[in-house]
């Protein structure tokens, strides 16, 4: 199997992971678990479920619409100061994804709608060989911490109280 797509993490990041998978359905739960585990390991357990779902949808789309026999697809997970980015690269750049309103009886066609609802941003990048579909989950805003305060979730009101 070959993997001819170059890695493309964001220009500035804190953490990065990439794994190439075989174009078989068994790869989807492997990728989903890895991305969820990275979200937890990198200090954002609240994003693990959404990250797993986004990874699952992007990998399923790659498998159904973008993979070729004997060509791997790649999942890159990147943590920046503001987002957790999940990017899936496959070898079929001529098959670009798009959202469409599904009919209530459709069994398929809701994956990118789910991604669009969960992600702050998503896009498709054409590559020389293939394409990358990525989505970014915004990191939760951190509360300000008062000097000397024991809690990181609340800040002093300035009146000397514990408020």
């Amino acid at each position: 199997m070959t993997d001819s797509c170059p890695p493309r993490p964001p220009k500035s990041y804190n953490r990065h992971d990439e794994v190439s998978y075989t174009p078989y359905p068994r790869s989807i739960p492997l990728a989903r678990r890895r991305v969820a585990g990275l979200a937890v390991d990198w200090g954002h357990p609240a994003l693990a479920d959404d990250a797993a779902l986004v990874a699952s949808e992007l990998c399923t789309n790659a498998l159904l619409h973008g993979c070729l026999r004997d060509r791997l697809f790649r999942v890159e997970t990147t943590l920046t100061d503001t987002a957790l980015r999940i990017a899936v690269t496959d070898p079929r750049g001529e098959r670009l994804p798009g959202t469409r309103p599904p009919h209530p009886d459709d069994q398929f066609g809701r994956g990118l709608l789910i991604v669009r609802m969960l992600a702050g941003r998503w896009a498709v990048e054409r590559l020389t060989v293939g394409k990358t579909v990525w989505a970014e989950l915004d990191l939760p805003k951190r509360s300000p911490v008062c000097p000397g305060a024991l809690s990181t979730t609340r800040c002093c009101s300035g009146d000397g109280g514990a408020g």
Side-chain angles (χ1 to χ4, degrees):
M1 303 226 171
T2 61
D3 180 15
S4 61
C5 301
R8 297 177 55 104
K11 290 180 178 146
S12 174
Y13 58 88
N14 301 326
R15 301 280 187 113
H16 178 77
D17 178 78
E18 66 181 68
V19 178
S20 293
Y21 294 94
T22 56
Y24 299 110
R26 68 178 176 259
S27 296
I28 295 169
L30 297 174
R32 181 175 54 235
R33 281 192 295 271
R34 183 169 185 92
V35 168
L38 289 170
V40 171
D41 292 347
W42 293 349
H44 298 283
L47 292 179
D49 290 341
D50 288 350
L53 184 53
V54 167
S56 183
E57 295 300 335
L58 295 181
C59 289
T60 299
N61 281 350
L63 190 66
L64 291 175
H65 307 293
C67 286
L68 297 169
R69 184 180 184 136
D70 296 333
R71 299 289 296 276
L72 302 175
F73 71 95
R74 184 179 48 245
V75 178
E76 295 178 74
T77 311
T78 307
L79 180 66
T80 68
D81 289 336
T82 58
L84 181 69
R85 176 181 166 126
I86 299 120
V88 177
T89 301
D90 66 60
R92 296 199 62 188
E94 74 278 8
R95 298 194 69 184
L96 299 177
T99 58
R100 62 176 173 76
H103 186 273
D105 294 333
D106 288 345
Q107 292 183 346
F108 300 99
R110 292 172 181 80
L112 287 176
L113 294 174
I114 292 169
V115 170
R116 190 170 72 187
M117 294 301 297
L118 294 175
R121 290 150 304 291
W122 76 276
V124 180
E125 293 181 18
R126 288 179 185 250
L127 305 174
T128 303
V129 176
K131 68 179 171 300
T132 299
V133 182
W134 59 265
E136 291 182 346
L137 301 172
D138 293 325
L139 299 182
K141 303 283 189 248
R142 297 206 173 168
S143 299
V145 178
C146 291
L150 296 177
S151 171
T152 59
T153 58
R154 296 178 63 188
C155 189
C156 316
S157 63
D159 62 359

